Amino acid sequence: GAVVSQHPSWVICKSGTSVKIECRSLDFQATTMFWYRQFPKQSLMLMATSNEGSKATYEQGVEKDKFLINHASLTLSTLTVTSAHPEDSSFYICSARATLTDALSGEQYFGPGTRLTVT
Amino acid sequence: GQQVMQIPQYQHVQEGEDFTTYCNSSTTLSNIQWYKQRPGGHPVFLIQLVKSGEVKKQKRLTFQFGEAKKNSSLHITATQTTDVGTYFCKDNFNKFYFGSGTKLNVKP
């Protein structure tokens, strides 16, 4: 089946620094990728949707300049948390959708997530 | 904005008992998906429902989509410890909103 990887799986950074999270589709080309954030014991919140080669579409309330998303290729999307603060500590999960068939079936393939802790 | 609520928030059952989680939307859904997330894991796609009144089965899991396409349910017959996790419904229209989730705990 389709596999999505994320790197790193966990990261600890100091307040004020930037962190880049990579999301890769390993055995398929992902035309659309999604970035979610999940706080402990809460549901997943969609942050942004990105299509390869175009600017990401951010959800209301998500700061574009703080959460930089790049989808430069059909197998890689990156999320950069700039000037991170403790309140940005969360579980960040990406998902990918591949073909028209997936779009019709609705299936998304999720990465294992990245746990970010900002101290 | 559109909200997708799930009830109950938590459910503790004895192994072998049945379990049901309900998903309710404030607006009509184009289609709905169900996901399972194990503790510490990521969501895994279970199924998508598209048609009004649709019912789909996967072994012990039965998924239903309401006639008005504003609600959906997931029913597990004779739960097993492997069913432990959080079950999310998700709107799959133009906004990919997850429901609030129902955390299932199964006691052996």
Side-chain angles (χ1 to χ4, degrees):
Chain A
V3 178
V4 176
S5 70
Q6 272 185 250
H7 178 80
S9 55
W10 60 270
V11 58
I12 301 173
C13 71
K14 291 185 177 180
S15 186
T17 61
S18 295
V19 174
K20 180 184 283 188
I21 302 170
E22 292 186 348
C23 177
R24 292 182 185 273
S25 55
L26 299 185
D27 50 2
F28 66 100
Q29 292 184 326
T31 52
T32 305
M33 286 187 170
F34 308 90
W35 285 95
Y36 294 86
R37 180 167 54 184
Q38 186 177 34
F39 292 106
K41 298 183 180 180
Q42 293 189 24
S43 185
L44 291 84
M45 300 297 295
L46 179 66
M47 298 176 66
T49 303
S50 73
N51 293 296
E52 185 266 338
S54 62
K55 290 184 178 180
T57 302
Y58 289 81
E59 292 299 302
Q60 190 174 9
V62 178
E63 299 175 58
K64 301 178 183 181
D65 296 331
K66 182 169 183 63
F67 298 99
L68 301 178
I69 292 173
N70 185 279
H71 193 165
S73 77
L74 286 171
T75 59
L76 173 65
S77 177
T78 60
L79 166 66
T80 301
V81 183
T82 62
S83 186
H85 292 285
E87 57 265 30
D88 298 324
S89 299
S90 186
F91 192 48
Y92 292 87
I93 308 177
C94 70
S95 72
R97 195 173 64 190
T99 64
L100 177 61
T101 301
D102 289 341
L104 294 174
S105 73
E107 185 157 3
Q108 292 174 255
Y109 308 99
F110 281 81
T114 297
R115 191 162 300 280
L116 170 64
T117 301
V118 184
T119 60
Chain B
Q2 183 173 4
Q3 290 189 352
V4 180
M5 302 302 295
Q6 278 182 257
I7 55 171
Q9 189 175 6
Y10 301 99
Q11 185 80 56
H12 301 272
V13 300
Q14 197 72 38
E15 189 172 24
E17 293 180 340
D18 292 355
F19 160 76
T20 304
T21 172
Y22 300 91
C23 181
N24 299 299
S25 171
S26 56
T27 59
T28 301
L29 300 166
S30 174
N31 55 58
I32 195 163
Q33 299 178 333
W34 284 93
Y35 288 79
K36 176 183 178 182
Q37 185 176 24
R38 293 183 183 272
H42 60 277
V44 174
F45 177 84
L46 295 177
I47 209 162
Q48 175 166 287
L49 303 174
V50 179
K51 299 177 183 176
S52 169
E54 188 171 15
V55 178
K56 287 188 177 180
K57 291 190 176 184
Q58 290 179 351
K59 297 182 180 180
R60 295 179 293 104
L61 277 60
T62 302
F63 304 85
Q64 286 189 304
F65 203 6
E67 293 291 341
K69 299 183 75 174
K70 285 189 174 184
N71 54 70
S72 180
S73 66
L74 158 59
H75 179 83
I76 302 178
T77 304
T79 56
Q80 300 174 359
T81 54
T82 53
D83 296 325
V84 166
T86 301
Y87 293 85
F88 293 99
C89 62
K90 182 165 82 69
D91 161 38
N92 201 49
F93 188 36
N94 57 347
K95 296 293 185 182
F96 301 89
Y97 295 127
F98 275 84
S100 46
T102 296
K103 186 175 182 179
L104 172 64
N105 187 37
V106 180
K107 292 177 287 186

